[in-house]
Amino acid sequence: MKDVELKYKSFTFPLSQKFTNSNHSFTHKEIIILKAKDERGNIAFGEVSPLPGFSKENIQDCEDRLEQFSISIIQSFNNPQKLNEELKIFDNIPSLKFGLEQVIISLMLNNNLYYFDTTNFKESIKVNGSIGFENLTETEEHIEKTLLRGISTLKLKVGRTNFEEDLSIITMIKKRFGNKIKLRLDVNGKWSFDEAKNNLRKIEQFELQYVEQPVKDKFELLELAKQSEIKIAPDESIQTIDDAIDFINSDLIDFIILKPSIRLGIFNTLKVLNLAKQKDVVPIITTSFETAIGRNMLLSLAGTTGHNFAHGLSLEVLGDSSANKSLITSNGKIKVDSESLKLNYNDLWN
């Protein structure tokens, strides 16, 4: 590939439902869709999808960088190692890096240059359900609907001002649904270290799969992982590939939450996945409210992990069903097909 034309458009998509955690409330998502065309007429799409409150960059930052950039300056399409080196200039704006990497990988596939080892892809990916700040009745109804979809792993957002409200919902879930639900909690770093120690003791009885990001500070999180009976999983503490490597090498964690579309990008995520396999750490690939374009790449990354734990890829925004019906969850799973990275998304582009 020598001559590649890159275009982009900005869009706003509504979420299928309002989603609230301890820090933010989301009703829509602003994204940039990238469209590239090579000299052979192959077309590839990528999604740039920073998440307010979680990303250090915003949509305007991404647009400003795109104005100054031509994809033609990327020379090493045929050499993934060199390509990763060239893309390091976007390490400080990872959501844009993710979109560009997705375009490049899709063009490589269209030119029969396979970056992924597709022979090891899992045929389908288990996904977890996710519940934001809802009351007891809403939570119970939400779980019943989730179970009907075949989803048995649930991530519950906690971190309310009064922990007793969180505790009452957790207690209800375990009493009402028992072993039907594998329960994860996500605090989004809302607790102080002392609050985390006290709260974790109160929920040790519930056989949780893990508690995600109980505190903000990286080193406090590692100390909690050392002290707590409950498995602790870092998320927001992973801002760079070095952070991810530090957590995996600490030998204190069993799960690590990865958001490639807003933090690490694709190539760095693959490096982290390889290290996690070596250290028997379970990586969970998680959505940041992408459309079908971004989620297809996330599914491909999840397909390389090899484990049977649920990934956080079930949340949908407008555009999924119209762009790719295979992204719809069936019996708690989403099918994985490496050919989906070649899909044409002109229905979203137009």
Side-chain angles (χ1 to χ4, degrees):
M1 286 179 284
K2 295 180 180 179
D3 299 315
V4 179
E5 176 188 36
L6 180 70
K7 296 180 180 179
Y8 63 91
K9 284 186 181 181
S10 298
F11 298 83
T12 299
F13 287 111
L15 269 61
S16 54
Q17 62 183 32
K18 183 179 179 180
F19 193 78
T20 303
N21 63 22
S22 59
N23 297 311
H24 303 279
S25 184
F26 300 96
T27 58
H28 65 279
K29 185 73 184 291
E30 291 182 312
I31 72 166
I32 297 170
I33 295 179
L34 306 178
K35 181 178 180 181
K37 184 178 181 180
D38 67 18
E39 71 272 15
R40 297 181 180 178
N42 295 310
I43 293 176
F45 292 84
E47 179 171 343
V48 180
S49 192
L51 186 62
F54 290 82
S55 298
K56 51 191 173 184
E57 70 272 16
N58 57 36
I59 284 289
Q60 189 59 54
D61 296 329
C62 297
E63 289 184 346
D64 290 345
R65 287 291 288 273
L66 281 167
E67 285 288 342
Q68 305 163 13
F69 170 72
S70 167
I71 200 170
S72 298
I73 70 171
I74 301 295
Q75 301 296 320
S76 306
F77 287 99
N78 300 358
N79 188 322
Q81 187 172 353
K82 286 186 178 179
L83 183 59
N84 196 21
E85 287 297 315
E86 291 186 33
L87 287 167
K88 279 186 176 179
I89 60 174
F90 298 103
D91 279 351
N92 66 338
I93 190 164
S95 57
L96 177 56
K97 185 179 182 183
F98 175 88
L100 291 170
E101 288 174 330
Q102 184 179 5
V103 162
I104 291 166
I105 288 172
S106 298
L107 285 177
M108 290 169 71
L109 285 170
N110 276 303
N111 284 276
N112 296 315
L113 301 169
Y114 287 86
Y115 185 82
F116 289 120
D117 181 4
T118 56
T119 59
N120 295 322
F121 272 25
K122 291 177 67 67
E123 292 183 358
S124 59
I125 295 297
K126 289 182 181 177
V127 296
N128 66 243
S130 190
I131 297 181
F133 276 19
E134 301 178 9
N135 62 36
L136 278 168
T137 301
E138 291 169 338
T139 300
E140 185 173 2
E141 292 174 352
H142 195 147
I143 294 174
E144 288 172 348
K145 291 177 182 177
T146 299
L147 287 170
L148 288 174
R149 294 171 61 198
I151 296 175
S152 59
T153 301
L154 180 74
K155 180 165 80 170
L156 178 71
K157 295 287 185 177
V158 296
R160 293 171 175 82
T161 303
N162 182 358
F163 175 69
E164 295 304 314
E165 295 179 30
D166 289 334
L167 185 58
S168 66
I169 291 177
I170 298 166
T171 302
M172 179 278 291
I173 292 173
K174 299 304 291 188
K175 285 184 177 179
R176 170 73 176 80
F177 298 100
N179 293 330
K180 292 180 182 178
I181 288 287
K182 298 177 185 70
L183 187 60
R184 305 167 171 175
L185 303 185
D186 186 3
V187 190
N188 292 117
K190 194 68 174 180
W191 295 338
S192 69
F193 184 76
D194 289 337
E195 286 173 333
K197 285 199 300 184
N198 292 332
N199 295 344
L200 289 170
R201 286 194 203 101
K202 292 178 181 178
I203 56 179
E204 283 178 358
Q205 60 182 302
F206 293 121
E207 297 182 359
L208 302 170
Q209 196 167 82
Y210 58 74
V211 174
E212 185 176 325
Q213 198 68 44
V215 293
K216 288 182 181 178
D217 184 78
K218 173 181 177 178
F219 299 102
E220 289 185 346
L221 189 147
L222 286 170
E223 185 61 31
L224 282 174
K226 189 185 299 183
Q227 296 182 21
S228 177
E229 295 294 322
I230 301 173
K231 297 182 188 304
I232 304 298
D235 177 8
E236 287 92 338
S237 288
I238 302 168
Q239 295 296 320
T240 67
I241 186 172
D242 290 336
D243 291 330
I245 290 170
D246 288 346
F247 278 117
I248 292 171
N249 285 334
S250 73
D251 295 324
L252 292 172
I253 65 164
D254 296 280
F255 294 87
I256 187 167
I257 314 302
L258 301 177
K259 290 187 167 73
S261 65
I262 63 170
R263 298 212 179 100
L264 299 181
I266 298 166
F267 296 143
N268 280 342
T269 295
L270 286 167
K271 288 182 181 179
V272 173
L273 296 183
N274 288 333
L275 179 62
K277 282 183 181 179
Q278 296 171 25
K279 302 285 284 188
D280 292 324
V281 173
V282 178
I284 305 295
I285 304 295
T286 305
T287 182
S288 301
F289 303 117
E290 298 85 7
T291 68
I293 300 174
R295 283 210 300 143
N296 258 321
M297 178 55 76
L298 296 179
L299 281 165
S300 295
L301 289 169
T304 70
T305 61
H307 63 69
N308 289 314
F309 290 92
H311 293 270
L313 298 173
S314 64
L315 290 173
E316 298 170 356
V317 297
L318 185 66
D320 282 347
S321 58
S322 62
N324 182 11
K325 289 183 169 56
S326 68
L327 276 176
I328 297 174
T329 306
S330 176
N331 295 320
K333 299 179 180 180
I334 303 178
K335 292 180 180 179
V336 179
D337 181 1
S338 62
E339 293 297 304
S340 66
L341 298 180
K342 300 180 185 179
L343 284 174
N344 191 313
Y345 293 102
N346 272 321
D347 50 349
L348 288 182
W349 178 265
N350 297 326

